[in-house]
Amino acid sequence: MDAQLEQRSPAPAPAPAGAPARRRHRGVLRYPLVRQLLRFTAVGVVCTATSLALYAFLRPYLGSQPANAAALILTSLMNTALNRRLTFKITDRHRLKRDHLNGLIVILVALLITGGSLGVLHWINPDATVADELWTTTLSGFAATAVRFTMLRHWIFRRARHR
């Protein structure tokens, strides 16, 4: 009986040559924005952990503001490259340099947000500890992350918004 069913059911049509196979997502994953947010979050966790480790390492040598700037700038290329490839699924090298230059602008906005929060912390509490600074940069990093995702999605990688 199974052999008869197999003979009667038509075989699925092969995908045209050169066309990528399309995945069907279910539930909330059917929305490209949700998939991008999940991938962006994963990239953000890796980049935030790297940035915080760099900050904690550089802080005793450079001070809070320069350590924050150095950590963000050093992780910015990694962040842009990972978001370009993983979050927005851009794998070609077309506009690679422009994407990274624009990514630096996005990081500068994040630097203004996190650096500003450190400035406010030291204005309120001049004797803030490194732990206080790490909490402050982490919390302000959430706001910077929302701004960064919006800028990446609607400005730098808008050509890939629906992937």
mmCIF file of all heavy atoms in Angstrom, residues 1-48:
data_model
loop_
_atom_site.group_PDB
_atom_site.id
_atom_site.type_symbol
_atom_site.label_atom_id
_atom_site.label_comp_id
_atom_site.label_asym_id
_atom_site.label_seq_id
_atom_site.Cartn_x
_atom_site.Cartn_y
_atom_site.Cartn_z
ATOM 1 N N MET A 1 0.822 -1.188 0.000
ATOM 2 C CA MET A 1 0.000 0.000 0.000
ATOM 3 C C MET A 1 0.870 1.258 0.000
ATOM 4 O O MET A 1 0.572 2.207 -0.704
ATOM 5 C CB MET A 1 -0.899 -0.039 1.239
ATOM 6 C CG MET A 1 -1.771 1.151 1.390
ATOM 7 S SD MET A 1 -3.362 0.750 0.720
ATOM 8 C CE MET A 1 -4.265 2.156 1.156
ATOM 9 N N ASP A 2 1.930 1.259 0.808
ATOM 10 C CA ASP A 2 2.827 2.404 0.855
ATOM 11 C C ASP A 2 3.489 2.639 -0.497
ATOM 12 O O ASP A 2 3.693 3.781 -0.904
ATOM 13 C CB ASP A 2 3.903 2.218 1.923
ATOM 14 C CG ASP A 2 3.335 2.332 3.335
ATOM 15 O OD1 ASP A 2 2.307 3.028 3.491
ATOM 16 O OD2 ASP A 2 3.918 1.731 4.251
ATOM 17 N N ALA A 3 3.810 1.572 -1.183
ATOM 18 C CA ALA A 3 4.449 1.716 -2.490
ATOM 19 C C ALA A 3 3.483 2.363 -3.479
ATOM 20 O O ALA A 3 3.893 3.163 -4.322
ATOM 21 C CB ALA A 3 4.917 0.360 -3.018
ATOM 22 N N GLN A 4 2.196 2.033 -3.366
ATOM 23 C CA GLN A 4 1.207 2.641 -4.250
ATOM 24 C C GLN A 4 1.053 4.126 -3.966
ATOM 25 O O GLN A 4 0.918 4.933 -4.880
ATOM 26 C CB GLN A 4 -0.144 1.938 -4.084
ATOM 27 C CG GLN A 4 -0.159 0.534 -4.626
ATOM 28 C CD GLN A 4 -1.498 -0.158 -4.331
ATOM 29 O OE1 GLN A 4 -2.304 0.356 -3.566
ATOM 30 N NE2 GLN A 4 -1.704 -1.315 -4.953
ATOM 31 N N LEU A 5 1.037 4.504 -2.687
ATOM 32 C CA LEU A 5 0.934 5.915 -2.327
ATOM 33 C C LEU A 5 2.132 6.698 -2.834
ATOM 34 O O LEU A 5 2.003 7.826 -3.294
ATOM 35 C CB LEU A 5 0.806 6.079 -0.815
ATOM 36 C CG LEU A 5 -0.538 5.697 -0.201
ATOM 37 C CD1 LEU A 5 -0.478 5.808 1.309
ATOM 38 C CD2 LEU A 5 -1.639 6.584 -0.754
ATOM 39 N N GLU A 6 3.311 6.095 -2.734
ATOM 40 C CA GLU A 6 4.508 6.790 -3.201
ATOM 41 C C GLU A 6 4.460 6.998 -4.710
ATOM 42 O O GLU A 6 4.921 8.009 -5.219
ATOM 43 C CB GLU A 6 5.759 5.995 -2.823
ATOM 44 C CG GLU A 6 6.085 6.101 -1.339
ATOM 45 C CD GLU A 6 7.317 5.294 -0.975
ATOM 46 O OE1 GLU A 6 8.124 5.003 -1.876
ATOM 47 O OE2 GLU A 6 7.460 4.964 0.202
ATOM 48 N N GLN A 7 3.908 6.029 -5.439
ATOM 49 C CA GLN A 7 3.831 6.150 -6.888
ATOM 50 C C GLN A 7 2.814 7.204 -7.295
ATOM 51 O O GLN A 7 2.999 7.898 -8.280
ATOM 52 C CB GLN A 7 3.457 4.799 -7.507
ATOM 53 C CG GLN A 7 4.569 3.788 -7.428
ATOM 54 C CD GLN A 7 4.122 2.431 -7.953
ATOM 55 O OE1 GLN A 7 2.956 2.239 -8.303
ATOM 56 N NE2 GLN A 7 5.051 1.488 -7.999
ATOM 57 N N ARG A 8 1.730 7.354 -6.557
ATOM 58 C CA ARG A 8 0.663 8.281 -6.919
ATOM 59 C C ARG A 8 0.967 9.723 -6.498
ATOM 60 O O ARG A 8 0.480 10.644 -7.127
ATOM 61 C CB ARG A 8 -0.649 7.839 -6.285
ATOM 62 C CG ARG A 8 -1.192 6.605 -6.908
ATOM 63 C CD ARG A 8 -2.531 6.267 -6.330
ATOM 64 N NE ARG A 8 -2.967 4.978 -6.830
ATOM 65 C CZ ARG A 8 -3.918 4.269 -6.295
ATOM 66 N NH1 ARG A 8 -4.561 4.719 -5.237
ATOM 67 N NH2 ARG A 8 -4.252 3.125 -6.805
ATOM 68 N N SER A 9 1.709 9.913 -5.410
ATOM 69 C CA SER A 9 1.961 11.281 -4.961
ATOM 70 C C SER A 9 3.064 11.897 -5.823
ATOM 71 O O SER A 9 4.099 11.290 -6.056
ATOM 72 C CB SER A 9 2.364 11.300 -3.487
ATOM 73 O OG SER A 9 3.551 10.558 -3.305
ATOM 74 N N PRO A 10 2.791 13.091 -6.299
ATOM 75 C CA PRO A 10 3.787 13.727 -7.159
ATOM 76 C C PRO A 10 5.020 14.142 -6.351
ATOM 77 O O PRO A 10 4.921 14.534 -5.198
ATOM 78 C CB PRO A 10 3.063 14.959 -7.705
ATOM 79 C CG PRO A 10 1.998 15.241 -6.709
ATOM 80 C CD PRO A 10 1.620 13.916 -6.108
ATOM 81 N N ALA A 11 6.140 14.026 -6.995
ATOM 82 C CA ALA A 11 7.396 14.425 -6.339
ATOM 83 C C ALA A 11 7.448 15.948 -6.286
ATOM 84 O O ALA A 11 6.963 16.622 -7.193
ATOM 85 C CB ALA A 11 8.578 13.880 -7.123
ATOM 86 N N PRO A 12 8.019 16.491 -5.223
ATOM 87 C CA PRO A 12 8.128 17.950 -5.156
ATOM 88 C C PRO A 12 9.011 18.467 -6.294
ATOM 89 O O PRO A 12 9.988 17.837 -6.675
ATOM 90 C CB PRO A 12 8.768 18.217 -3.799
ATOM 91 C CG PRO A 12 9.303 16.920 -3.316
ATOM 92 C CD PRO A 12 8.597 15.835 -4.069
ATOM 93 N N ALA A 13 8.618 19.603 -6.814
ATOM 94 C CA ALA A 13 9.376 20.180 -7.927
ATOM 95 C C ALA A 13 10.729 20.657 -7.415
ATOM 96 O O ALA A 13 10.814 21.276 -6.354
ATOM 97 C CB ALA A 13 8.611 21.350 -8.526
ATOM 98 N N PRO A 14 11.791 20.362 -8.156
ATOM 99 C CA PRO A 14 13.103 20.825 -7.713
ATOM 100 C C PRO A 14 13.202 22.344 -7.818
ATOM 101 O O PRO A 14 12.566 22.963 -8.665
ATOM 102 C CB PRO A 14 14.072 20.136 -8.684
ATOM 103 C CG PRO A 14 13.250 19.816 -9.892
ATOM 104 C CD PRO A 14 11.843 19.615 -9.399
ATOM 105 N N ALA A 15 14.001 22.905 -6.940
ATOM 106 C CA ALA A 15 14.207 24.358 -6.963
ATOM 107 C C ALA A 15 15.002 24.723 -8.207
ATOM 108 O O ALA A 15 15.864 23.968 -8.646
ATOM 109 C CB ALA A 15 14.962 24.798 -5.717
ATOM 110 N N PRO A 16 14.687 25.866 -8.813
ATOM 111 C CA PRO A 16 15.452 26.285 -9.983
ATOM 112 C C PRO A 16 16.928 26.465 -9.627
ATOM 113 O O PRO A 16 17.274 26.836 -8.511
ATOM 114 C CB PRO A 16 14.835 27.636 -10.363
ATOM 115 C CG PRO A 16 13.601 27.787 -9.552
ATOM 116 C CD PRO A 16 13.657 26.794 -8.450
ATOM 117 N N ALA A 17 17.776 26.165 -10.583
ATOM 118 C CA ALA A 17 19.217 26.283 -10.364
ATOM 119 C C ALA A 17 19.570 27.731 -10.035
ATOM 120 O O ALA A 17 19.089 28.663 -10.664
ATOM 121 C CB ALA A 17 19.975 25.827 -11.605
ATOM 122 N N GLY A 18 20.388 27.901 -9.031
ATOM 123 C CA GLY A 18 20.833 29.238 -8.656
ATOM 124 C C GLY A 18 19.924 29.934 -7.659
ATOM 125 O O GLY A 18 20.298 30.925 -7.072
ATOM 126 N N ALA A 19 18.721 29.434 -7.455
ATOM 127 C CA ALA A 19 17.802 30.055 -6.501
ATOM 128 C C ALA A 19 18.010 29.422 -5.133
ATOM 129 O O ALA A 19 18.062 28.203 -5.014
ATOM 130 C CB ALA A 19 16.358 29.863 -6.942
ATOM 131 N N PRO A 20 18.156 30.228 -4.102
ATOM 132 C CA PRO A 20 18.346 29.661 -2.765
ATOM 133 C C PRO A 20 17.060 29.004 -2.270
ATOM 134 O O PRO A 20 15.957 29.433 -2.606
ATOM 135 C CB PRO A 20 18.712 30.871 -1.902
ATOM 136 C CG PRO A 20 18.142 32.043 -2.633
ATOM 137 C CD PRO A 20 18.166 31.682 -4.092
ATOM 138 N N ALA A 21 17.223 27.954 -1.496
ATOM 139 C CA ALA A 21 16.060 27.284 -0.924
ATOM 140 C C ALA A 21 15.445 28.200 0.130
ATOM 141 O O ALA A 21 16.141 28.776 0.944
ATOM 142 C CB ALA A 21 16.482 25.961 -0.303
ATOM 143 N N ARG A 22 14.135 28.362 0.106
ATOM 144 C CA ARG A 22 13.445 29.229 1.064
ATOM 145 C C ARG A 22 12.937 28.374 2.210
ATOM 146 O O ARG A 22 12.330 27.346 2.000
ATOM 147 C CB ARG A 22 12.290 29.946 0.383
ATOM 148 C CG ARG A 22 12.800 30.807 -0.744
ATOM 149 C CD ARG A 22 12.098 32.070 -0.979
ATOM 150 N NE ARG A 22 11.451 32.680 0.133
ATOM 151 C CZ ARG A 22 11.692 33.917 0.527
ATOM 152 N NH1 ARG A 22 12.582 34.637 -0.089
ATOM 153 N NH2 ARG A 22 11.025 34.448 1.524
ATOM 154 N N ARG A 23 13.201 28.834 3.414
ATOM 155 C CA ARG A 23 12.715 28.136 4.598
ATOM 156 C C ARG A 23 11.389 28.734 5.011
ATOM 157 O O ARG A 23 11.204 29.932 4.954
ATOM 158 C CB ARG A 23 13.709 28.294 5.735
ATOM 159 C CG ARG A 23 15.016 27.597 5.470
ATOM 160 C CD ARG A 23 15.948 27.791 6.607
ATOM 161 N NE ARG A 23 15.452 27.024 7.750
ATOM 162 C CZ ARG A 23 16.035 26.994 8.923
ATOM 163 N NH1 ARG A 23 17.115 27.696 9.132
ATOM 164 N NH2 ARG A 23 15.546 26.288 9.901
ATOM 165 N N ARG A 24 10.514 27.900 5.438
ATOM 166 C CA ARG A 24 9.248 28.366 5.972
ATOM 167 C C ARG A 24 9.366 28.361 7.491
ATOM 168 O O ARG A 24 9.630 27.339 8.096
ATOM 169 C CB ARG A 24 8.111 27.465 5.530
ATOM 170 C CG ARG A 24 7.859 27.531 4.056
ATOM 171 C CD ARG A 24 6.374 27.330 3.817
ATOM 172 N NE ARG A 24 6.084 27.378 2.408
ATOM 173 C CZ ARG A 24 5.597 28.442 1.814
ATOM 174 N NH1 ARG A 24 5.354 29.531 2.496
ATOM 175 N NH2 ARG A 24 5.338 28.434 0.530
ATOM 176 N N HIS A 25 9.168 29.516 8.062
ATOM 177 C CA HIS A 25 9.237 29.649 9.513
ATOM 178 C C HIS A 25 7.818 29.647 10.067
ATOM 179 O O HIS A 25 6.885 30.106 9.428
ATOM 180 C CB HIS A 25 9.951 30.938 9.906
ATOM 181 C CG HIS A 25 11.370 30.980 9.441
ATOM 182 N ND1 HIS A 25 12.375 30.323 10.104
ATOM 183 C CD2 HIS A 25 11.953 31.584 8.381
ATOM 184 C CE1 HIS A 25 13.518 30.529 9.481
ATOM 185 N NE2 HIS A 25 13.290 31.285 8.429
ATOM 186 N N ARG A 26 7.695 29.162 11.281
ATOM 187 C CA ARG A 26 6.386 29.094 11.923
ATOM 188 C C ARG A 26 6.338 30.011 13.126
ATOM 189 O O ARG A 26 7.361 30.396 13.675
ATOM 190 C CB ARG A 26 6.090 27.668 12.348
ATOM 191 C CG ARG A 26 5.973 26.741 11.164
ATOM 192 C CD ARG A 26 5.615 25.374 11.605
ATOM 193 N NE ARG A 26 5.477 24.531 10.409
ATOM 194 C CZ ARG A 26 5.224 23.279 10.444
ATOM 195 N NH1 ARG A 26 5.060 22.663 11.598
ATOM 196 N NH2 ARG A 26 5.112 22.590 9.341
ATOM 197 N N GLY A 27 5.132 30.335 13.548
ATOM 198 C CA GLY A 27 4.949 31.167 14.729
ATOM 199 C C GLY A 27 5.518 32.558 14.509
ATOM 200 O O GLY A 27 5.459 33.103 13.411
ATOM 201 N N VAL A 28 6.094 33.112 15.560
ATOM 202 C CA VAL A 28 6.629 34.472 15.460
ATOM 203 C C VAL A 28 7.867 34.523 14.577
ATOM 204 O O VAL A 28 8.242 35.593 14.096
ATOM 205 C CB VAL A 28 6.938 35.080 16.846
ATOM 206 C CG1 VAL A 28 5.683 35.236 17.661
ATOM 207 C CG2 VAL A 28 7.976 34.279 17.590
ATOM 208 N N LEU A 29 8.508 33.383 14.341
ATOM 209 C CA LEU A 29 9.706 33.367 13.493
ATOM 210 C C LEU A 29 9.384 33.618 12.020
ATOM 211 O O LEU A 29 10.290 33.804 11.222
ATOM 212 C CB LEU A 29 10.460 32.050 13.645
ATOM 213 C CG LEU A 29 11.135 31.840 14.992
ATOM 214 C CD1 LEU A 29 11.819 30.489 15.034
ATOM 215 C CD2 LEU A 29 12.109 32.952 15.291
ATOM 216 N N ARG A 30 8.112 33.642 11.658
ATOM 217 C CA ARG A 30 7.776 33.938 10.264
ATOM 218 C C ARG A 30 7.995 35.407 9.928
ATOM 219 O O ARG A 30 8.003 35.784 8.773
ATOM 220 C CB ARG A 30 6.345 33.506 9.946
ATOM 221 C CG ARG A 30 5.272 34.330 10.580
ATOM 222 C CD ARG A 30 3.877 33.859 10.143
ATOM 223 N NE ARG A 30 2.873 34.560 10.882
ATOM 224 C CZ ARG A 30 2.177 34.070 11.883
ATOM 225 N NH1 ARG A 30 2.361 32.828 12.263
ATOM 226 N NH2 ARG A 30 1.278 34.786 12.500
ATOM 227 N N TYR A 31 8.181 36.233 10.950
ATOM 228 C CA TYR A 31 8.429 37.661 10.737
ATOM 229 C C TYR A 31 9.929 37.925 10.673
ATOM 230 O O TYR A 31 10.651 37.622 11.631
ATOM 231 C CB TYR A 31 7.796 38.493 11.861
ATOM 232 C CG TYR A 31 6.320 38.280 11.984
ATOM 233 C CD1 TYR A 31 5.792 37.557 13.045
ATOM 234 C CD2 TYR A 31 5.441 38.789 11.021
ATOM 235 C CE1 TYR A 31 4.425 37.353 13.154
ATOM 236 C CE2 TYR A 31 4.074 38.583 11.130
ATOM 237 C CZ TYR A 31 3.575 37.865 12.189
ATOM 238 O OH TYR A 31 2.235 37.660 12.297
ATOM 239 N N PRO A 32 10.414 38.517 9.576
ATOM 240 C CA PRO A 32 11.860 38.777 9.456
ATOM 241 C C PRO A 32 12.406 39.630 10.599
ATOM 242 O O PRO A 32 13.525 39.403 11.056
ATOM 243 C CB PRO A 32 11.985 39.513 8.119
ATOM 244 C CG PRO A 32 10.776 39.140 7.349
ATOM 245 C CD PRO A 32 9.693 38.910 8.363
ATOM 246 N N LEU A 33 11.630 40.589 11.074
ATOM 247 C CA LEU A 33 12.100 41.449 12.163
ATOM 248 C C LEU A 33 12.415 40.632 13.411
ATOM 249 O O LEU A 33 13.429 40.856 14.076
ATOM 250 C CB LEU A 33 11.061 42.532 12.481
ATOM 251 C CG LEU A 33 11.369 43.429 13.683
ATOM 252 C CD1 LEU A 33 12.641 44.234 13.426
ATOM 253 C CD2 LEU A 33 10.198 44.352 13.964
ATOM 254 N N VAL A 34 11.583 39.659 13.735
ATOM 255 C CA VAL A 34 11.802 38.829 14.920
ATOM 256 C C VAL A 34 13.079 38.016 14.762
ATOM 257 O O VAL A 34 13.909 37.946 15.684
ATOM 258 C CB VAL A 34 10.586 37.912 15.180
ATOM 259 C CG1 VAL A 34 10.865 36.917 16.297
ATOM 260 C CG2 VAL A 34 9.348 38.744 15.499
ATOM 261 N N ARG A 35 13.264 37.415 13.586
ATOM 262 C CA ARG A 35 14.484 36.643 13.340
ATOM 263 C C ARG A 35 15.716 37.534 13.435
ATOM 264 O O ARG A 35 16.727 37.152 14.022
ATOM 265 C CB ARG A 35 14.413 35.944 11.985
ATOM 266 C CG ARG A 35 13.354 34.860 11.908
ATOM 267 C CD ARG A 35 13.478 33.998 10.673
ATOM 268 N NE ARG A 35 13.515 34.726 9.428
ATOM 269 C CZ ARG A 35 12.448 35.079 8.707
ATOM 270 N NH1 ARG A 35 11.235 34.769 9.147
ATOM 271 N NH2 ARG A 35 12.576 35.718 7.568
ATOM 272 N N GLN A 36 15.624 38.752 12.878
ATOM 273 C CA GLN A 36 16.757 39.673 12.949
ATOM 274 C C GLN A 36 17.040 40.086 14.390
ATOM 275 O O GLN A 36 18.206 40.172 14.793
ATOM 276 C CB GLN A 36 16.497 40.906 12.088
ATOM 277 C CG GLN A 36 16.614 40.638 10.604
ATOM 278 C CD GLN A 36 16.241 41.849 9.768
ATOM 279 O OE1 GLN A 36 15.660 42.812 10.253
ATOM 280 N NE2 GLN A 36 16.563 41.782 8.490
ATOM 281 N N LEU A 37 16.005 40.346 15.156
ATOM 282 C CA LEU A 37 16.208 40.725 16.559
ATOM 283 C C LEU A 37 16.876 39.609 17.361
ATOM 284 O O LEU A 37 17.739 39.876 18.198
ATOM 285 C CB LEU A 37 14.883 41.126 17.206
ATOM 286 C CG LEU A 37 14.389 42.524 16.882
ATOM 287 C CD1 LEU A 37 12.956 42.715 17.373
ATOM 288 C CD2 LEU A 37 15.301 43.579 17.503
ATOM 289 N N LEU A 38 16.498 38.373 17.092
ATOM 290 C CA LEU A 38 17.118 37.246 17.787
ATOM 291 C C LEU A 38 18.596 37.131 17.427
ATOM 292 O O LEU A 38 19.451 36.947 18.305
ATOM 293 C CB LEU A 38 16.381 35.945 17.464
ATOM 294 C CG LEU A 38 14.999 35.803 18.082
ATOM 295 C CD1 LEU A 38 14.289 34.566 17.539
ATOM 296 C CD2 LEU A 38 15.096 35.746 19.600
ATOM 297 N N ARG A 39 18.897 37.236 16.134
ATOM 298 C CA ARG A 39 20.300 37.153 15.710
ATOM 299 C C ARG A 39 21.092 38.355 16.223
ATOM 300 O O ARG A 39 22.236 38.218 16.660
ATOM 301 C CB ARG A 39 20.383 37.047 14.188
ATOM 302 C CG ARG A 39 19.810 35.727 13.651
ATOM 303 C CD ARG A 39 20.033 35.549 12.170
ATOM 304 N NE ARG A 39 19.482 36.602 11.348
ATOM 305 C CZ ARG A 39 18.413 36.490 10.558
ATOM 306 N NH1 ARG A 39 17.762 35.336 10.494
ATOM 307 N NH2 ARG A 39 18.007 37.497 9.820
ATOM 308 N N PHE A 40 20.480 39.546 16.188
ATOM 309 C CA PHE A 40 21.125 40.760 16.681
ATOM 310 C C PHE A 40 21.430 40.633 18.172
ATOM 311 O O PHE A 40 22.487 41.048 18.642
ATOM 312 C CB PHE A 40 20.217 41.964 16.423
ATOM 313 C CG PHE A 40 20.796 43.276 16.854
ATOM 314 C CD1 PHE A 40 21.717 43.942 16.060
ATOM 315 C CD2 PHE A 40 20.407 43.861 18.044
ATOM 316 C CE1 PHE A 40 22.248 45.155 16.447
ATOM 317 C CE2 PHE A 40 20.929 45.080 18.445
ATOM 318 C CZ PHE A 40 21.853 45.723 17.641
ATOM 319 N N THR A 41 20.510 40.023 18.908
ATOM 320 C CA THR A 41 20.715 39.814 20.343
ATOM 321 C C THR A 41 21.895 38.885 20.591
ATOM 322 O O THR A 41 22.725 39.151 21.479
ATOM 323 C CB THR A 41 19.436 39.248 20.991
ATOM 324 O OG1 THR A 41 18.371 40.186 20.782
ATOM 325 C CG2 THR A 41 19.620 38.993 22.473
ATOM 326 N N ALA A 42 21.994 37.817 19.832
ATOM 327 C CA ALA A 42 23.116 36.891 19.992
ATOM 328 C C ALA A 42 24.443 37.592 19.704
ATOM 329 O O ALA A 42 25.416 37.439 20.456
ATOM 330 C CB ALA A 42 22.930 35.684 19.086
ATOM 331 N N VAL A 43 24.485 38.362 18.624
ATOM 332 C CA VAL A 43 25.697 39.122 18.293
ATOM 333 C C VAL A 43 25.985 40.119 19.417
ATOM 334 O O VAL A 43 27.135 40.286 19.841
ATOM 335 C CB VAL A 43 25.545 39.845 16.935
ATOM 336 C CG1 VAL A 43 26.647 40.864 16.718
ATOM 337 C CG2 VAL A 43 25.518 38.835 15.793
ATOM 338 N N GLY A 44 24.943 40.762 19.921
ATOM 339 C CA GLY A 44 25.113 41.746 20.978
ATOM 340 C C GLY A 44 25.671 41.153 22.252
ATOM 341 O O GLY A 44 26.492 41.787 22.932
ATOM 342 N N VAL A 45 25.246 39.954 22.596
ATOM 343 C CA VAL A 45 25.759 39.299 23.802
ATOM 344 C C VAL A 45 27.264 39.059 23.662
ATOM 345 O O VAL A 45 28.043 39.361 24.576
ATOM 346 C CB VAL A 45 25.001 37.977 24.069
ATOM 347 C CG1 VAL A 45 25.711 37.113 25.096
ATOM 348 C CG2 VAL A 45 23.575 38.264 24.502
ATOM 349 N N VAL A 46 27.678 38.556 22.513
ATOM 350 C CA VAL A 46 29.101 38.295 22.286
ATOM 351 C C VAL A 46 29.900 39.602 22.319
ATOM 352 O O VAL A 46 30.936 39.698 22.983
ATOM 353 C CB VAL A 46 29.311 37.562 20.936
ATOM 354 C CG1 VAL A 46 30.780 37.511 20.553
ATOM 355 C CG2 VAL A 46 28.719 36.172 21.007
ATOM 356 N N CYS A 47 29.405 40.621 21.624
ATOM 357 C CA CYS A 47 30.126 41.905 21.559
ATOM 358 C C CYS A 47 30.124 42.632 22.901
ATOM 359 O O CYS A 47 31.132 43.247 23.273
ATOM 360 C CB CYS A 47 29.538 42.786 20.463
ATOM 361 S SG CYS A 47 29.869 42.135 18.814
ATOM 362 N N THR A 48 29.021 42.550 23.644
ATOM 363 C CA THR A 48 28.961 43.192 24.956
ATOM 364 C C THR A 48 29.920 42.526 25.924
ATOM 365 O O THR A 48 30.642 43.213 26.663
ATOM 366 C CB THR A 48 27.529 43.158 25.514
ATOM 367 O OG1 THR A 48 26.677 43.882 24.623
ATOM 368 C CG2 THR A 48 27.452 43.778 26.890
#
